Amino acid sequence: MPETITPAQTTPRSGFWSWWPTSIGRPIRVLAWLSFLSEVIIIGTGGAVRLTGSGLGCSEWPLCTPESLVPTAEQGIHGIIEFGNRTMTGLVGVLAIAVLLLTLHVLGGRRSLKAALWFALGGIGAGVLCYAVASMFGIPAFPFFSLGLLLVTIAGCVYSLRITPQRRDLSTLAWIVLIGVVAQAFVGGITVLTGLNPFIVGFHYASSLILVCVTAAFLVRMKEPAGARVRVVPRWFAVLSHVTGLALAVTIFFGVLTTGSGPHSGDANVIRDGFDATVLAHVHSWPGYILAALVVALLISAWVLRLEPRHWLLVLTIAVGAQVAVGVWQAREGLPELLVGIHMVLASLTAAAYTVAVLRMKKPVADTLSPATESPYSARA
């Protein structure tokens, strides 16, 4: 198998995963799915940390205590829950690295793979240097290690995209996930060091949700051939879908603020203030109901016109309906921990379903068999 495989060298075939070489197709799709699932699961484990009051179960970062990497008996169940979430972060990172390296191997061969590995080594070196400098001044050092690693990872991404011109959509998505995981480690450390600042905790959750959407986008794009894509829905439908995305973003934003102002602060000694959670709960519901109405309108339109994304819009409608039901239920029951956790995970799955539905509004030009079969709504991406 040649080191560099371009779309021109790949014969289009029907069915899933036809773009990837047979020897790599199965591992990459398994790892990509595991990466997506791990991003969803870590939202659940992060929610468990917060909802059980285990946010400071490990008082230090990256150590759990000043003397121990793992939780001690004195920390009890809170230490175990917090450390479990940290362990999950490691798994997410390993999967992100594996997906990236396999992707670069297919797209750019040894050159791209070696460059990524050299940048990885340089990132560790930069992190160690930042750690040493911070330690000299007696300030928390590990966030600076993460920052040094993050900066070099971003530099590696830029260089990799320059030398790997094929399928930049796939390599960009894979790099974003890895950069996001490294950034999450940095933000996680800041979260602990700031005593669970609600705004940083909210940003931490929102970042995790974005990574779920990016891994979902990778799963969609990896099944498609390279090249331009054409719109297969009317322009008004595409515009309405983006308005729906805005409503989804606003709903999630106020949901994060509501949770940050509610009773589940992450630790019994951390008190939330600055916002009225009761008022925010009502404000959060308004864009939520608008979102539900928009999604139903898209679904009905898609099925009447038999548009490409109609099946995923059905999935999105079910997810939004479940979110509305859980949201009303948890509000009436006084925000029980289990329902709040389910609401958090469902939000990530809803965002992922929306991402897939939007991507299904275009299809590759290579899938168009002839001008006669081309969609009347087609517009080049």
Side-chain angles (χ1 to χ4, degrees):
M1 184 181 69
E3 292 178 7
T4 303
I5 298 176
T6 66
Q9 296 170 304
T10 305
T11 302
R13 303 189 300 274
S14 61
F16 291 164
W17 323 108
S18 59
W19 190 85
W20 296 84
T22 304
S23 60
I24 296 182
R26 184 180 297 275
I28 193 69
R29 76 167 179 261
V30 171
L31 289 170
W33 269 106
L34 289 176
S35 181
F36 169 76
L37 292 174
S38 67
E39 294 290 355
V40 175
I41 292 171
I42 201 170
I43 287 181
T45 60
V49 170
R50 185 171 189 172
L51 298 170
T52 60
S54 304
L56 296 178
C58 289
S59 59
E60 306 296 323
W61 180 270
L63 299 177
C64 194
T65 72
E67 297 82 21
S68 174
L69 174 64
V70 299
T72 61
E74 290 76 13
Q75 292 170 295
I77 188 64
H78 294 306
I80 294 174
I81 293 174
E82 164 65 8
F83 186 76
N85 186 58
R86 294 186 181 187
T87 303
M88 189 67 201
T89 301
L91 175 60
V92 168
V94 169
L95 289 170
I97 292 171
V99 170
L100 175 63
L101 294 181
L102 270 178
T103 301
L104 292 179
H105 173 66
V106 173
L107 300 178
R110 290 184 181 178
R111 184 187 182 194
S112 294
L113 190 59
K114 288 173 64 176
L117 293 174
W118 275 113
F119 270 100
L121 184 61
I124 295 173
V128 170
L129 178 62
C130 292
Y131 186 96
V133 172
S135 298
M136 289 173 56
F137 290 94
I139 56 180
F142 192 78
F144 288 91
F145 172 86
S146 301
L147 181 60
L149 181 60
L150 175 61
L151 294 176
V152 175
T153 303
I154 294 173
C157 171
V158 174
Y159 180 77
S160 175
L161 294 177
R162 289 182 58 189
I163 66 173
T164 313
Q166 293 86 358
R167 294 306 304 263
R168 282 183 174 170
D169 56 334
L170 292 174
S171 53
T172 298
L173 291 170
W175 272 110
I176 288 174
V177 175
L178 180 59
I179 291 172
V181 171
V182 176
Q184 284 289 71
F186 172 71
V187 174
I190 297 298
T191 301
V192 174
L193 295 175
T194 57
L196 305 183
N197 180 283
F199 295 103
I200 297 179
V201 172
F203 177 78
H204 199 44
Y205 170 77
S207 301
S208 296
L209 189 145
I210 291 173
L211 291 180
V212 170
C213 295
V214 175
T215 51
F218 187 93
L219 288 170
V220 174
R221 296 294 286 128
M222 72 180 293
K223 296 192 296 184
E224 299 177 343
R229 304 170 74 226
V230 295
R231 178 164 46 82
V232 293
V233 298
R235 183 178 298 276
W236 64 264
F237 189 91
V239 172
L240 185 60
S241 70
H242 293 304
V243 173
T244 303
L246 178 61
L248 175 61
V250 172
T251 302
I252 292 173
F253 173 76
F254 281 108
V256 170
L257 286 183
T258 303
T259 303
S261 305
H264 304 299
S265 62
D267 188 88
N269 297 319
V270 176
I271 306 300
R272 299 296 187 221
D273 54 17
F275 295 103
D276 188 330
T278 303
V279 173
L280 278 176
H282 290 288
V283 175
H284 169 53
S285 68
W286 300 337
Y289 292 131
I290 294 173
L291 170 65
L294 289 171
V295 170
V296 170
L298 286 173
L299 177 66
I300 294 173
S301 301
W303 280 95
V304 170
L305 299 175
R306 299 193 63 79
L307 300 179
E308 185 74 19
R310 60 186 181 276
H311 296 98
W312 276 102
L313 285 172
L314 177 60
V315 174
L316 178 60
T317 303
I318 294 172
V320 171
Q323 276 290 74
V324 171
V326 173
V328 172
W329 188 9
Q330 69 174 8
R332 291 182 175 179
E333 296 296 327
L335 303 179
E337 289 82 357
L338 180 60
L339 291 181
V340 175
I342 292 174
H343 202 52
M344 293 172 64
V345 174
L346 277 177
S348 68
L349 294 176
T350 301
Y354 171 78
T355 300
V356 177
V358 169
L359 290 175
R360 293 297 186 194
M361 294 180 190
K362 290 183 179 181
K363 70 176 182 178
V365 175
D367 286 351
T368 303
L369 301 178
S370 68
T373 61
E374 186 173 355
S375 168
Y377 314 115
S378 295
R380 290 294 176 92

